């Protein structure tokens, strides 16, 4: 059911998962503190971010050792055209070795997706794993102002580009806090 964390003041006690689908603006700091507290009690959170100018939840993501890129992913492989898709809809056939994606064995597409990567140095007590990535002929385009997209090795993220990750935190009493983040809602 929908929940307004700003007015409720907590994640409901009966929540099995908290979902934040496509936030268009940055949540209030106290809302992020409530989500963090929920995760640190063994909660599960799914965040579906869209490319800029949508929210990135930058500081919150860093706390959980996740980097939500300031980009959108371009697929230059041309495979998407076979299915009527353009270069802003990356083809995905690279799935991580995680329970969430263990039975994924077909292609999937993610229209207008940003990169979501594990941080280079995860925080102590966190494991961050890639769930899925675009193909090798893709990149994370950072130039949002140009009508033309081209790979710039100095500023763009070279493919395969991670599009979703899961951060898991081991907690006392055999509990785990899980944060799953996709770069597309």
């Amino acid at each position: 059911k929908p929940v307004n964390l700003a007015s409720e003041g907590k994640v409901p006690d009966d929540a099995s998962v908290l979902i934040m689908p496509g936030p268009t603006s940055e949540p209030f700091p106290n809302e992020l503190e409530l989500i963090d507290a929920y995760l640190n009690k063994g909660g599960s959170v799914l965040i579906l971010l869209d490319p800029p100018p949508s929210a990135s939840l930058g500081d919150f993501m860093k706390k959980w050792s996740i980097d939500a890129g300031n980009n959108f992913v371009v697929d230059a492989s041309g495979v998407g055209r076979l299915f009527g898709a353009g270069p802003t809809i990356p083809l995905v056939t690279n799935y991580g070795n995680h329970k969430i994606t263990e039975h994924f064995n077909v292609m999937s597409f993610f229209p207008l997706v940003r990169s979501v990567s594990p941080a280079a140095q995860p925080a102590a007590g966190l494991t961050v794993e890639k769930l899925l990535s675009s193909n090798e002929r893709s990149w994370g385009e950072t130039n949002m102002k140009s009508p033309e997209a081209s790979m710039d090795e100095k500023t763009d993220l070279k493919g395969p580009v991670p599009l979703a990750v899961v951060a898991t935190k081991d907690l006392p009493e055999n509990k785990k806090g899980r944060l799953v983040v996709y770069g597309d809602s």
Side-chain angles (χ1 to χ4, degrees):
K1 69 179 184 177
V3 62
N4 183 332
L5 293 177
S7 63
E8 296 261 341
K10 68 175 188 167
V11 175
D13 294 331
D14 62 348
S16 56
V17 65
L18 180 67
I19 301 172
M20 186 184 299
T24 56
S25 60
E26 298 294 330
F28 293 117
N30 67 322
E31 291 175 298
L32 294 173
E33 290 168 11
L34 294 170
I35 294 169
D36 192 54
Y38 173 69
L39 284 163
N40 282 304
K41 286 190 225 169
S44 297
V45 176
L46 171 62
I47 299 177
L48 306 168
L49 295 174
D50 288 316
S54 294
S56 70
L57 287 72
D59 291 338
F60 179 77
M61 291 294 158
K62 284 180 185 157
K63 188 179 207 177
W64 283 85
S65 300
I66 296 172
D67 178 27
N70 189 21
N71 57 35
F72 67 94
V73 179
V74 176
D75 182 351
S77 71
V79 175
R81 281 181 276 177
L82 298 172
F83 302 98
T88 59
I89 304 176
L91 169 71
V92 174
T93 58
N94 301 319
Y95 300 102
N97 187 20
H98 191 276
K99 192 166 187 82
I100 293 173
T101 54
E102 71 184 352
H103 296 295
F104 285 25
N105 57 12
V106 296
M107 293 180 281
S108 56
F109 296 91
F110 291 83
L112 290 176
V113 61
R114 77 184 332 154
S115 66
V116 179
S117 310
Q121 293 292 326
L126 280 175
T127 303
V128 185
E129 302 167 84
K130 295 177 195 173
L131 291 177
L132 48 102
S133 300
S134 63
N135 63 64
E136 290 182 9
R137 294 200 50 215
S138 63
W139 71 89
E141 177 66 45
T142 56
N143 185 350
M144 306 290 184
K145 295 181 180 175
S146 174
E148 302 280 324
S150 61
M151 172 63 181
D152 182 338
E153 300 225 2
K154 293 177 185 167
T155 58
D156 294 338
L157 182 61
K158 189 177 183 317
V161 178
L163 307 177
V165 299
V166 57
T168 306
K169 186 174 194 178
D170 289 324
L171 302 166
E173 299 177 19
N174 234 5
K175 291 184 179 180
K176 294 181 185 295
R178 274 201 189 81
L179 174 60
V180 178
V181 182
Y182 279 77
D184 183 19
S185 66

